[in-house]
Amino acid sequence: MTHFGYFNGTVLPADQIGVGVTDLSLLRGYGLFDYFLTYNGRPFQWDWYWERFANSAMCMHLPLPITKEEGYQIVMDLIERSGQPDVALRFVMTGGYAPDSITIRKPNLLIMSEDIHPTAPQQYADGIRVILDEYVREMAEVKSTDYKRLILLADEIRAAGAQDVLFCKDGEISELSRSNFFIVKGEKLITPDRHILRGITRRTVIQLARTDFEVEERPVLLSELYDADEAFTTSSTKKVLPIVQVGDLTIADSKPGPKSAWLLSQFNELVTRW
Amino acid sequence: MTHFGYFNGTVLPADQIGVGVTDLSLLRGYGLFDYFLTYNGRPFQWDWYWERFANSAMCMHLPLPITKEEGYQIVMDLIERSGQPDVALRFVMTGGYAPDSITIRKPNLLIMSEDIHPTAPQQYADGIRVILDEYVREMAEVKSTDYKRLILLADEIRAAGAQDVLFCKDGEISELSRSNFFIVKGEKLITPDRHILRGITRRTVIQLARTDFEVEERPVLLSELYDADEAFTTSSTKKVLPIVQVGDLTIADSKPGPKSAWLLSQFNELVTRW
């Protein structure tokens, strides 16, 4: 199957799109993105994703070159061209072409469909391990393209037999490299509320959880992991994925817990009906 | 005049080069660069620039796809094709194409010539103003493409009638957005030695200064500006450029000082003979 991409008004097979060499993401790392899946051929939580994309653009002083309605039309067109029942969609917006290599004039906007890379069933069955890293993302609330830290840590994560990294600065937990973090304690569902990207799956899970949990969105300390019943991470591709080890610390009995499983089943039910 | 670029082994007019949409600088901000000028048609301080480029690549876990000698041949070819007596050269290396949008496989290397944008003579005559920003660059010693902070501050710099920003974190000065920082006190030339990019012009100026100054490379506090005789910044295009105001603070009598002028003349003499 060929994926197509929209780039500044033109739609082409994605592998035929070329970004020019004065683009500010290439020269200066100046870009933002967003990413979501479709279910039953429809973009999941489109309103929330568009809202976040527009907010990231505003925070990075980039005017949106298209309206929400135009964005939706482009997305539906790309889904149809992909010939696949469900795809991932990636929005990438950069500072645009800068002949002086530094000044924003007009952003470049790329929207493309991609294959979905679902999380392996074994990871849900076993839970994942994460390493700890003393770090907090700059401008974490903006979905910028700044992922240097994760790529630099790739070898360390692999060497530890882990799947990801949990960022923690001065004893306070923020998020994983590309997903949010939750702990369960009794009837409480607790998740950090600052220095994080406000994940759409996080938001969906909080909404689903309200019937059965007391939800606390607040700063979360690393020390709170010691008596957590369960921990999990959320993202569009991970959904609700149990975490059984953080650094040297085993969470509960190092097996995925029932409350994470229940939230995952609620999430799966929602997307099946989407 | 047309500038040419080398991209992964192929040389084309720079405006005909297209970078594919799975490049990790576009998707994840994962890139590094270097930049230097030629004088009398020859790359200035080539050995030092290559050494820094190779070090940045190593720090970002990217294997160099060419040798130093090949790099030199490419540079000399691009200079000749430009048809100009002197040009700027930009090296950009990214994490390469990542079909999974995150894993490094093979870097992309771009080398291109550009017009030189010399600093206006009036700026040397008047000196420049900079705003202060509570910030320190991540991995400052690596010439990564992470310049989000500067681009976000562009409006604030303009509104303040300033030309650049000086980064200062917890009372300690590091560097300007794209150049190093020096102060003069009596016979002492003082410059920060940590949280900085180790500028080649900085290194050249320190070398030139040793005959007439006692050079101190060490942490520099913001409070030391209050009794500085002079301040200036160094970069390949700024050379030795006086700073007469930092935030609300006027340096000495707000006029460029004689020692900055002497160092600039020494620098100009060196490059004229290059």
Side-chain angles (χ1 to χ4, degrees):
Chain A
M1 296 287 186
T2 303
H3 285 288
F4 283 78
Y6 163 101
F7 186 54
N8 295 339
T10 306
V11 176
L12 283 172
D15 58 9
Q16 288 175 28
I17 296 172
V19 178
V21 295
T22 62
D23 182 85
L24 281 174
S25 69
L26 184 70
L27 301 184
R28 302 293 183 180
Y30 204 82
L32 61 95
F33 78 114
D34 223 307
Y35 178 88
F36 53 87
L37 307 187
T38 70
Y39 289 104
N40 306 314
R42 296 176 55 216
F44 184 63
Q45 305 284 34
W46 164 252
D47 289 341
W48 293 357
Y49 279 106
W50 177 268
E51 177 190 25
R52 184 171 71 181
F53 178 67
N55 183 61
S56 293
M58 190 183 66
C59 291
M60 288 186 70
H61 306 185
L62 296 178
L64 285 175
I66 55 170
T67 64
K68 182 177 176 183
E69 289 64 37
E70 288 164 344
Y72 191 77
Q73 291 308 317
I74 293 164
V75 164
M76 295 310 289
D77 175 53
L78 293 175
I79 294 170
E80 191 180 330
R81 287 178 192 253
S82 77
Q84 300 189 22
D86 280 307
V87 292
L89 272 301
R90 187 182 298 273
F91 280 54
V92 180
M93 193 151 85
T94 78
Y97 295 132
D100 70 350
S101 87
I102 199 72
T103 309
I104 295 175
R105 301 207 306 191
K106 190 168 155 290
N108 284 328
L109 175 63
L110 170 69
I111 305 175
M112 56 187 169
S113 68
E114 297 181 358
D115 286 338
I116 295 172
H117 301 288
T119 302
Q122 198 62 41
Q123 292 204 345
Y124 291 104
D126 296 345
I128 63 164
R129 296 166 179 208
V130 300
I131 64 168
L132 266 179
D133 186 41
E134 181 75 17
Y135 184 68
V136 64
R137 287 227 296 155
E138 269 179 37
M139 296 178 67
E141 68 286 0
V142 175
K143 205 165 167 75
S144 87
T145 54
D146 184 3
Y147 286 76
K148 272 202 307 298
R149 188 76 174 194
L150 168 64
I151 297 176
L152 286 168
L153 287 172
D155 291 343
E156 194 178 325
I157 291 170
R158 204 175 304 117
Q163 281 76 42
D164 209 326
V165 53
L166 178 64
F167 295 133
C168 179
K169 181 81 177 175
D170 299 329
E172 183 179 334
I173 289 169
S174 54
E175 56 189 358
L176 278 74
S177 68
R178 289 158 291 166
S179 57
N180 290 115
F181 183 74
F182 286 82
I183 54 177
V184 176
K185 281 194 195 194
E187 300 307 310
K188 283 185 185 165
L189 184 65
I190 305 165
T191 188
D193 68 342
R194 59 183 189 182
H195 309 310
I196 62 163
L197 179 77
R198 297 192 170 270
I200 303 300
T201 307
R202 174 183 180 277
R203 186 171 167 180
T204 304
V205 165
I206 287 174
Q207 206 174 58
L208 291 170
R210 291 216 186 272
T211 52
D212 288 58
F213 292 85
E214 185 184 332
V215 179
E216 293 184 0
E217 296 182 64
R218 58 166 175 80
V220 177
L221 299 180
L222 185 60
S223 54
E224 297 183 60
L225 290 190
Y226 288 86
D227 60 350
D229 299 331
E230 303 182 25
F232 62 85
T233 185
T234 60
S235 81
S236 56
T237 52
K238 295 182 176 73
K239 301 177 176 178
V240 177
L241 182 62
I243 297 172
V244 295
Q245 191 167 337
V246 175
D248 294 331
L249 176 73
T250 296
I251 305 290
D253 61 356
S254 88
K255 292 200 184 70
K259 289 182 176 163
S260 309
W262 182 80
L263 283 165
L264 175 61
S265 73
Q266 293 295 104
F267 187 88
N268 279 332
E269 204 174 295
L270 175 69
V271 300
T272 305
R273 292 182 280 107
W274 191 255
Chain B
M1 295 287 187
T2 303
H3 285 288
F4 284 78
Y6 163 101
F7 186 54
N8 295 338
T10 306
V11 176
L12 285 171
D15 58 9
Q16 288 175 29
I17 296 173
V19 178
V21 294
T22 61
D23 182 85
L24 281 174
S25 70
L26 183 69
L27 300 185
R28 303 293 183 178
Y30 205 82
L32 61 94
F33 79 113
D34 224 308
Y35 177 89
F36 54 87
L37 307 186
T38 70
Y39 290 104
N40 307 313
R42 295 176 54 215
F44 183 63
Q45 303 284 34
W46 164 253
D47 290 341
W48 293 355
Y49 278 106
W50 177 267
E51 176 190 25
R52 184 172 71 180
F53 178 68
N55 183 61
S56 294
M58 191 183 64
C59 291
M60 288 186 70
H61 306 184
L62 296 178
L64 284 175
I66 56 169
T67 64
K68 181 177 177 181
E69 290 64 35
E70 289 164 344
Y72 191 77
Q73 290 308 317
I74 293 164
V75 164
M76 295 310 287
D77 174 53
L78 293 176
I79 294 170
E80 193 180 330
R81 286 177 191 254
S82 77
Q84 300 189 23
D86 280 306
V87 292
L89 272 302
R90 187 182 298 272
F91 280 54
V92 180
M93 193 153 84
T94 78
Y97 296 131
D100 71 349
S101 86
I102 199 73
T103 311
I104 295 174
R105 301 206 307 192
K106 190 166 156 289
N108 284 328
L109 175 62
L110 170 70
I111 305 174
M112 55 188 170
S113 68
E114 297 180 358
D115 286 338
I116 295 172
H117 300 288
T119 302
Q122 198 62 40
Q123 293 204 344
Y124 291 103
D126 296 344
I128 63 165
R129 296 165 179 209
V130 300
I131 64 168
L132 265 180
D133 185 41
E134 181 74 17
Y135 183 70
V136 63
R137 287 227 298 155
E138 270 179 36
M139 296 177 67
E141 69 285 0
V142 175
K143 204 166 167 75
S144 86
T145 53
D146 185 3
Y147 286 77
K148 272 201 307 299
R149 189 78 173 192
L150 169 63
I151 296 177
L152 284 168
L153 288 172
D155 292 342
E156 193 178 326
I157 292 170
R158 204 175 305 118
Q163 281 76 43
D164 209 327
V165 53
L166 178 63
F167 295 133
C168 179
K169 180 83 177 172
D170 299 329
E172 183 179 333
I173 290 170
S174 54
E175 57 190 357
L176 278 74
S177 69
R178 288 158 292 167
S179 58
N180 290 115
F181 183 75
F182 286 81
I183 55 177
V184 176
K185 280 193 197 197
E187 300 307 309
K188 284 185 186 166
L189 184 65
I190 305 165
T191 189
D193 68 342
R194 59 182 188 180
H195 309 310
I196 62 162
L197 180 78
R198 298 191 169 273
I200 303 301
T201 307
R202 173 183 180 276
R203 186 171 167 180
T204 304
V205 165
I206 288 173
Q207 206 173 59
L208 291 169
R210 290 213 186 274
T211 53
D212 288 58
F213 291 86
E214 185 184 334
V215 179
E216 295 185 1
E217 296 181 65
R218 58 165 174 81
V220 178
L221 299 180
L222 185 60
S223 54
E224 297 183 60
L225 291 190
Y226 288 86
D227 61 349
D229 298 333
E230 302 181 27
F232 62 84
T233 185
T234 59
S235 81
S236 55
T237 52
K238 295 181 176 72
K239 301 178 177 179
V240 177
L241 182 61
I243 297 172
V244 296
Q245 191 166 338
V246 175
D248 293 332
L249 176 74
T250 297
I251 305 290
D253 62 353
S254 87
K255 292 202 185 69
K259 289 180 176 162
S260 309
W262 183 81
L263 283 165
L264 175 62
S265 74
Q266 292 296 104
F267 187 88
N268 279 331
E269 203 174 296
L270 174 69
V271 299
T272 305
R273 292 183 279 105
W274 191 256

